[in-house]
Amino acid sequence: MNVKYLKIFLWTYTAFIFYFAFTPLTIQTPTSDKINHFVAFFIYVILLKESYNISYWGSFFYSTLLCIFIEVVQYFLPYRTSEYGDVLAGILGITSGIFTYFVMKLTYMELKKKE
């Protein structure tokens, strides 16, 4: 996929994360809040790594910074709550996303080498 479109998709995805993180909860999801955080940041870190080709530590740092920023803002919003568990779920999603990306990239390179 073209990097330009990946960047547009990443920033659109980031806007959706901000929208769902900072607006009042009107939709109840059938899944746990922690699972939502895990999946959201799992996808986010993979998009970030693929879009900007930054280091694994950079991807981890920027994604974790976003995760913590969201929870700090939610602490000050009267209609939202902030929980340490949300940050932990986000960091687990980030770590899992980086690991998955690494394994997929390594597998792709091995398959490409065999051709």
Side-chain angles (χ1 to χ4, degrees):
M1 183 179 252
N2 190 345
V3 175
K4 177 183 172 185
Y5 293 118
L6 272 174
K7 288 179 181 179
I8 291 170
F9 186 67
L10 170 70
W11 288 106
T12 304
Y13 187 75
T14 305
F16 277 111
I17 288 176
F18 281 148
Y19 175 77
F20 288 116
F22 300 143
T23 57
L25 290 173
T26 54
I27 302 171
Q28 293 297 328
T29 59
T31 59
S32 167
D33 178 43
K34 307 306 180 252
I35 293 173
N36 294 342
H37 281 265
F38 180 91
V39 171
F41 283 101
F42 180 92
I43 294 168
Y44 180 81
V45 74
I46 291 173
L47 284 173
L48 180 66
K49 179 74 177 115
E50 190 65 21
S51 298
Y52 285 97
N53 197 24
I54 56 178
S55 69
Y56 291 104
W57 285 110
S59 300
F60 179 81
F61 174 76
Y62 291 124
S63 299
T64 302
L65 195 64
L66 177 67
C67 182
I68 293 170
F69 172 74
I70 287 172
E71 291 304 314
V72 168
V73 170
Q74 284 183 348
Y75 177 78
F76 294 104
L77 295 175
Y79 47 85
R80 297 300 297 248
T81 58
S82 177
E83 298 177 12
Y84 292 117
D86 290 346
V87 174
L88 181 61
I91 291 173
L92 286 173
I94 291 165
T95 306
S96 299
I98 289 173
F99 179 74
T100 302
Y101 182 86
F102 176 75
V103 169
M104 289 175 65
K105 196 72 157 179
L106 196 63
T107 304
Y108 174 76
M109 288 170 39
E110 284 295 320
L111 290 174
K112 190 118 174 142
K113 191 188 303 182
K114 288 182 181 179
E115 289 180 356

